[in-house]
Amino acid sequence: MTTVVAVRKNDEIAIAADSLTTFGDTRLSAQHDRTYDKIVRYRDTYIGLCGSAAHQLVFASLLASNADLDFSGKAAIFETFRKLHPILKEQHFLNPKEEEDDPYESTQVTALVANEHGIFGVYSMREVFEYTKFWAIGSGREFALGAMHAQYPRLKTATAIARAGIEAGATFDRNTALPMTLYTVTAKR
């Protein structure tokens, strides 16, 4: 798993992720992984992915081959993921099955999206949430959320709060490790 965080404070938006990949009990740390960044970029949008390591390559391919994706808000992100779902199934052989009684097919993706429009979470049934301050996903999310909750009123920047979240995940979650990658954008007024 992983820890990915997104933070919005004042005019700054930050997204950060740890660098550890795990395969069961085997750990692939950044010092052995040439491409450890879990955040992909599409124009001025950053997407932090957790779950299967295959998501990185799949999303890099999807983003490179689709010029008309829209991440400008909650409804736009939903429509983008709805548009990508059949492509995931047909071209990337996504297995959309999770639980028998699920109301919809799963994308098998959990992601945080950060851009000038805000910070958003996307979940496997294409649920999209917009967050006002911060959020975290992945196996270290509870530690990251606790750290960011404690530090949000104390720290002045989204960058500093995001760092605190990833560092807490790396300290307490066995599937999260440093170094981290971190990107910032200026929020649209």
Side-chain angles (χ1 to χ4, degrees):
M1 287 298 284
T2 192
T3 304
V4 180
V5 303
V7 181
R8 179 180 190 146
K9 187 156 187 181
N10 302 320
D11 290 340
E12 184 184 26
I13 292 174
I15 186 168
D18 81 301
S19 56
L20 180 66
T21 299
T22 56
F23 309 96
D25 290 334
T26 303
R27 296 166 45 100
L28 176 61
S29 66
Q31 69 182 6
H32 300 290
D33 186 354
R34 186 176 295 255
T35 56
Y36 60 82
D37 193 347
K38 298 175 183 179
I39 300 171
V40 294
R41 184 175 180 178
Y42 180 80
R43 298 183 184 151
D44 293 329
T45 294
Y46 295 92
I47 305 166
L49 299 159
C50 71
S52 172
H55 292 335
Q56 293 298 118
L57 289 171
V58 168
F59 267 78
S61 172
L62 282 172
L63 298 174
S65 62
N66 288 278
D68 60 342
L69 302 178
D70 186 354
F71 295 97
S72 63
K74 184 176 177 176
I77 293 168
F78 170 79
E79 289 300 329
T80 292
F81 273 81
R82 189 178 65 77
K83 175 184 176 178
L84 292 177
H85 186 72
I87 298 169
L88 286 166
K89 287 178 21 179
E90 294 163 16
Q91 295 178 20
H92 298 279
F93 310 105
L94 170 75
N95 177 3
K97 192 129 177 100
E98 280 189 22
E99 303 296 325
E100 191 64 39
D101 60 347
D102 281 344
Y104 301 99
E105 288 183 344
S106 172
T107 62
Q108 306 286 358
V109 171
T110 302
L112 287 179
V113 175
N115 58 35
E116 67 178 4
H117 303 286
I119 56 175
F120 307 87
V122 183
Y123 297 88
S124 64
M125 304 288 165
R126 287 159 302 286
E127 309 101 314
V128 179
F129 296 90
E130 183 173 5
Y131 304 109
T132 57
K133 295 179 181 178
F134 58 84
W135 201 250
I137 58 174
S139 59
R141 72 186 168 279
E142 293 165 346
F143 304 113
L145 286 169
M148 292 186 299
H149 174 74
Q151 295 301 322
Y152 195 88
R154 294 176 179 88
L155 298 176
K156 293 183 190 230
T157 67
T159 298
I161 298 160
R163 285 185 189 284
I166 296 297
E167 288 169 356
T171 300
F172 296 106
D173 177 47
R174 68 183 177 132
N175 294 311
T176 299
L178 298 174
M180 75 178 77
T181 53
L182 189 143
Y183 301 93
T184 62
V185 295
T186 302
K188 189 174 186 178
R189 292 183 180 234

